[in-house]
Each structure stands twice: as structure tokens, then as C-alpha cells.
Amino acid sequence: MVAKMRSKKNLKDLLKLDLKTIEAMAPNPFRLTRIDVVVSLQDPEYCKVNRAAMKANKSLYCKEDYAVLERLSKALKQHHSLGKARMKENQGKRTLNEKNTASSPSTGSTLASTSTTKTDIPELPENFKAIIASLKGFDVTFVMQRKLTKTDLEPNNSRLAMPEKQINEECKFLAQKDTEIMRILEARDGKGRLIGMKVGLIEPSGEVCHDQVLKKWNMTSASTYNLASSSWCDIARRNHLKKDHLLNIWCLNDVANKFYFLLHHVGFEPFEPCT
């Protein structure tokens, strides 16, 4: 193939060739590499080219190899379809929020980017709004007000519990039970342990960490979402969280569509040492 390519005068000649001609010059059928998969996940157009290459060279693969590539092709297509649907939904929400903000003389106690809720939404301090802006965050939604318990702060637990019954019913991320998200939160490994979903956390101090894992525990009486990590007790300690303290908990997406939780320590000025 290299010799055939060298016979072309320059790169412009190569770029004029169609996909089938390029494949015919190659000694082996098109095979996805790890970088192909990574780029395909991020770029829908590149994904289309790769999927077309698989389909065009179907006869060159053995039955088993093509079956694997076909499953991957369908997964990539579904991935981008879900991404487009989410982008369209988020754009619609932002447009609706902008209209609501423009038509209202005062935003009251709600954020412009916050979903409309049927519960009283507390005011989010300006410091946190600035952090959200730096993350290019959107879909900022109030989750719940949580009164910390002794078990929330015990080292053996290393988690912050969010009982399902206390979650704001307008919080789509948790209360409305998105099917894809629930599937991830309830998935288990080979030993039956919950795997969970990696999420970010904006601490009461304003520090942003990325090592948290959200898991859903389904129990007989009720279900609970747990924000867990080996660093949770350190987070509670450096933010001076104590039993019976109140946390206003929010969630949001960033520009890369990663989920974050935000903890506002009620009664304490943000980013100031608590006593």
C-alpha cells in the first residue's frame, strides 16, 4: 500500500480518492484501533466514516470478526443518537429558562438555569454560581436539603446518603429516573457489588473534586442514593460538617456532560472557615 501511495504525486491526490479505492490499496480490511474508537465516540462524522468502512468491507472479514464490529457499530450509532437527544433537550430547557427570565421582573429565589420545581428552591450563593460558570455548567437543579446524621459522617460508611423520598420531584437526574442512568447506578460487578457512576463534587469550600461515585441502594422499605468515595470523610472534616448540620444539595452537568453535585453548607458563609 505504501508503494502505491508513493506513486501519487502528493497528499492532494490521496485526498481525492474515495473510500473504496483507498481500501482496495490496503492489504488488509479496515480494522478499528483504540484511537479510532475514542475519536468515533467524540466525533459523529468520523464515526460515520468508520461505520461505512466496516459495511463496505464486510466480505473481507471472517464471520466472528464482523459480528464484533457490527455490535460496536450499533453501539456507536446509539451513543451519538443519545447525545443528540440530550443536546436537543438541554437546548430546549435553556431556551425556556431564558424566556422565563425575560418575562419575569424578578427571578426570586431560583437560578435562571434551574429547572422549575414544585418545592421552594433556596438561593444559591454567588460564589457557587461563579464556579458553575467556570465549568460551563447547565441544568442546575435543586436536589434536596439534607440534615446530616451520625451515619453520614462515620468512617466505616464513607458516604453521604440521599433518601429517594426526600429528593425534589422535579430533579430529572434522580427523581424522574432516567432509564439509562438507573441502569448504570444499579449495575453490579462479578461479585455482586454496586459499581456506580463517577461524578464530580463541588464542596462547601468551593473546591472541586472528581473522585466521587454515585450508587443506588434499593432496599425493601425505600431506596437511597449514596455519594461515596474513600475521600468523603476527609471532605466532611475539612469542611467542618457535623451531625445535624444542613446541606442544600444541587446537581448539574458540565460542558462535557459530566454530572456534578454541589453542597452548600447552610448557615455558613461559603469559602470561609467554619467553626
Side-chain angles (χ1 to χ4, degrees), residues 17 22 32 46 49 58-59 79 86 93 119 123 125 136 138 144-145 165 176 178 203 217-218 226 234-235 247 272:
L17 298 177
I22 294 176
L32 277 177
Y46 188 82
V49 172
K58 181 178 179 179
S59 61
H79 168 79
R86 284 183 178 176
K93 285 185 176 181
T119 59
E123 179 67 24
K136 297 182 179 178
F138 60 94
M144 65 184 298
Q145 184 174 89
K165 291 182 178 179
Q176 296 186 18
D178 180 282
E203 301 177 22
W217 289 84
N218 292 317
N226 288 326
D234 291 332
I235 291 172
L247 288 178
E272 293 293 331

Side-chain angles (χ1 to χ4, degrees), residues 1-68:
M1 181 176 180
V2 174
K4 291 180 181 179
M5 284 188 171
R6 284 175 178 169
S7 67
K8 302 297 175 184
K9 293 181 179 180
N10 50 44
L11 182 59
K12 288 183 179 179
D13 289 335
L14 286 175
L15 293 175
K16 292 177 182 177
L17 298 177
D18 57 54
L19 184 61
K20 187 173 291 186
T21 303
I22 294 176
E23 289 296 333
M25 296 169 67
N28 296 309
F30 171 81
R31 294 187 180 280
L32 277 177
T33 64
R34 182 176 295 180
I35 191 62
D36 284 313
V37 175
V38 172
V39 178
S40 291
L41 286 170
Q42 300 298 324
D43 188 342
E45 292 304 316
Y46 188 82
C47 177
K48 287 180 182 178
V49 172
N50 282 338
R51 291 179 63 242
M54 295 177 206
K55 189 173 182 180
N57 292 276
K58 181 178 179 179
S59 61
L60 300 178
Y61 300 100
C62 67
K63 185 176 181 181
E64 291 77 11
D65 283 351
Y66 188 75
V68 172

Side-chain angles (χ1 to χ4, degrees), residues 178-206:
D178 180 282
T179 304
E180 183 65 18
I181 293 174
M182 291 303 111
R183 183 185 64 78
I184 296 172
L185 296 182
E186 296 173 1
R188 295 178 180 270
D189 61 17
K191 296 182 179 180
R193 296 173 298 192
L194 285 169
I195 300 171
M197 179 174 69
K198 290 184 178 180
V199 296
L201 178 67
I202 302 174
E203 301 177 22
S205 64

Side-chain angles (χ1 to χ4, degrees), residues 148-189:
L148 292 174
T149 65
K150 182 180 178 181
T151 55
D152 286 322
L153 303 169
E154 288 180 347
N156 291 338
N157 294 326
S158 295
R159 58 100 179 108
L160 171 64
M162 295 179 286
E164 187 175 45
K165 291 182 178 179
Q166 297 178 28
I167 290 174
N168 173 16
E169 63 182 29
E170 294 297 327
C171 178
K172 181 177 180 180
F173 178 38
L174 299 178
Q176 296 186 18
K177 300 181 180 178
D178 180 282
T179 304
E180 183 65 18
I181 293 174
M182 291 303 111
R183 183 185 64 78
I184 296 172
L185 296 182
E186 296 173 1
R188 295 178 180 270
D189 61 17

